[in-house]
Amino acid sequence: MSDQFETLAIHAGQQPDPSTGAVMTPIYQTSTFVQDAVGVHKGYEYSRSGNPTRTALQDCFAALEAAQYGLAFASGLAATDTIIRQFAPGDHILVGSDVYGGTFRLFEREYKDFGIEFSYVDVDDLPAVQAGLRANTKLVWLETPTNPYLGLADIAAVAGILKAHSSQPLFAVDNTFASPYLQQPLTLGADIVIHSATKYLGGHSDVVLGLVAVNDQTLKERLAFSQNAAGAVPGPMDSFLVLRGIKTLPLRMDRHGHNAAAIADYLAAHPKVSQIYYPFHASHPQQALARKQMRNGGGMLSFELKGGEAAARTVAENTRLFALAESLGGVESLIEVPAVMTHLSVANSPLAVDPGLVRLSVGVEHVDDLIADLEQAIAKA
Ligand SMILES: *Cc1c(COP(=O)(O)O)cnc(C)c1O
């Protein structure tokens, strides 16, 4: 098959159903599969171990990340959990600060109790990444762009540091914010890519699902073992929804990036706005890296108002098109105040977020309508 992203998004891992000719992958809504003789089957026995709709999603997703293998989970955090359970008491994991609040909670409130050590480092500070590595560091985990400050890690540079380090840690990138259309971390030297497919891959805010991509066969077998053994798998309906969402990922990401860039320009020029955070905007300190590493700036954007926390709340409560809600990556625009919503679990920690920060998940509506909506809400602040 072609290796063009747009073509893979529609066709990879999928063929017309051999028994009926159905062009779209059927939702194999079954828990079990008949055997022709004892132990003789068509590759499927039980849907925790494998289901054809999930297989199509895993294979399509792997192609989009330019990976050998894809694995699907019940949620992004189930995927994260499956990766972290590969490590043992006494292992150290170096984590990018600004990490997703639920990831931080899983590390600090679940795995710390099992004796895994976590420490945090600014991912845009390469000497700090280097200095954060220990003799027992087994994994480096980061997001780029980060949430909610849209800071960037230079994936290739971090990979280079890790390859040269004596502890030989694995390198995992949470690629949720960028999606594989904007950047493919495995091609830049990462070992593991993880996604909350709940966000851009699904794209329609109608499903919760997680995905992992790797190239190493041994690592894939360990993760697939845990996927089956622990059983945090998505059902066939959810697998189908993400498979369908992926078909329009390139179209949606182009529009998300176009709209967010226009909104970044609008907000940066607004007299009531004190600061914006958007990777492709001239004000971003890592704009050059963003343009090298990412195809466009993505749909996520944060900003601060001169009126601080009160103004942030007023704006978030007065938009009409932008819905006041957590989550991100859907076709519809969302607005939130991270300090008291998505990032509440990191309050009073070193990862705490400024209470005056507003985060937008810019959707694919007409950009003029989105700007008009922000205009009337900011006028009230
Ligand atoms: C939402 C999110 C997660 C968690 O995924 P779920 O599907 O909600 O479990 C992990 N990382 C990032 C960056 C996210 O935005």
Side-chain angles (χ1 to χ4, degrees):
M1 194 191 292
S2 154
D3 60 0
Q4 297 288 351
F5 194 97
E6 293 80 353
T7 305
L8 292 172
I10 291 170
H11 296 289
Q14 297 153 79
Q15 339 26 69
D17 180 47
S19 60
T20 63
V23 169
M24 287 301 135
T25 304
I27 302 159
Y28 287 94
Q29 194 74 50
T30 183
S31 61
T32 189
F33 300 83
V34 74
Q35 308 208 352
D36 297 332
V38 176
V40 179
H41 53 75
K42 298 182 170 66
Y44 295 97
E45 300 156 82
Y46 184 62
S47 280
R48 172 162 36 71
S49 319
N51 175 285
T53 317
R54 192 174 99 208
T55 302
L57 170 63
Q58 293 180 156
D59 292 351
C60 181
F61 165 69
L64 297 191
E65 285 289 2
Q68 291 295 319
Y69 307 105
L71 293 165
F73 296 89
S75 67
L77 283 173
T80 304
D81 176 79
T82 303
I83 293 166
I84 304 303
R85 72 172 61 239
Q86 308 310 316
F87 299 91
D91 287 350
H92 169 246
I93 298 178
L94 184 64
V95 185
S97 50
D98 259 19
V99 81
Y100 175 70
T103 303
F104 178 76
R105 181 175 57 200
L106 179 68
F107 292 173
E108 291 296 311
R109 305 275 297 276
E110 297 282 347
Y111 279 102
K112 221 174 185 170
D113 293 343
F114 288 104
I116 296 179
E117 294 169 36
F118 297 91
S119 64
Y120 298 84
V121 68
D122 283 335
V123 295
D124 53 7
D125 184 347
L126 292 173
V129 172
Q130 171 87 55
L133 297 172
R134 304 176 187 173
N136 60 339
T137 305
K138 294 292 168 59
L139 176 70
V140 173
W141 178 286
L142 57 81
E143 294 174 20
T144 180
T146 63
N147 176 16
Y149 284 110
L150 287 310
L152 297 192
D154 185 331
I155 298 172
V158 172
I161 290 172
L162 303 192
K163 297 232 154 56
H165 193 262
S166 56
S167 69
Q168 294 286 302
L170 287 171
F171 181 17
V173 175
D174 180 335
N175 203 23
T176 300
F177 265 41
S179 90
Y181 182 64
L182 301 190
Q183 71 191 15
Q184 295 168 314
L186 296 182
T187 66
L188 299 171
D191 301 299
I192 303 172
V193 171
I194 108 118
H195 279 272
S196 172
T198 312
K199 318 294 170 50
Y200 286 109
L201 289 166
H204 297 76
S205 304
D206 53 9
V207 60
V208 172
L209 193 141
L211 287 163
V212 172
V214 297
N215 279 328
D216 182 78
Q217 192 187 350
T218 311
L219 181 57
K220 178 255 177 179
E221 278 162 13
R222 275 164 59 195
L223 294 171
F225 180 86
S226 289
Q227 182 193 37
N228 181 49
V233 294
M237 181 69 199
D238 290 352
S239 300
F240 171 83
L241 284 171
V242 175
L243 197 56
R244 184 172 73 163
I246 281 175
K247 290 179 192 294
T248 55
L249 179 70
L251 299 166
R252 288 186 284 106
M253 292 315 295
D254 281 342
R255 179 64 75 87
H256 285 299
H258 170 267
N259 284 358
I263 289 173
D265 286 341
Y266 161 76
L267 290 173
H270 198 292
K272 288 188 178 175
V273 172
S274 55
Q275 177 79 46
I276 68 154
Y277 303 90
Y278 187 66
F280 268 44
H281 192 263
S283 65
H284 197 287
Q286 297 164 291
Q287 197 203 171
L289 170 62
R291 289 183 185 272
K292 185 177 90 175
Q293 187 164 276
M294 299 169 69
R295 194 193 294 247
N296 72 37
M300 299 304 296
L301 178 158
S302 296
F303 64 100
E304 282 156 10
L305 292 135
K306 289 181 183 151
E309 182 176 358
R313 285 180 182 243
T314 302
V315 171
E317 288 172 359
N318 282 284
T319 51
R320 296 174 190 143
L321 266 179
F322 281 87
L324 177 59
E326 299 193 3
S327 198
L328 62 111
V331 288
E332 73 295 334
S333 292
L334 303 178
I335 188 166
E336 66 131 357
V337 179
V340 288
M341 295 176 67
T342 47
H343 287 63
L344 197 55
S345 57
V346 296
N348 305 316
S349 84
L351 277 62
V353 173
D354 188 298
L357 189 76
V358 179
R359 190 187 80 177
L360 303 180
S361 173
V362 178
V364 301
E365 301 94 336
H366 198 289
V367 68
D368 292 351
D369 292 334
L370 296 177
I371 289 175
D373 190 29
L374 290 168
E375 176 90 11
Q376 63 81 27
I378 294 173
K380 299 197 169 90

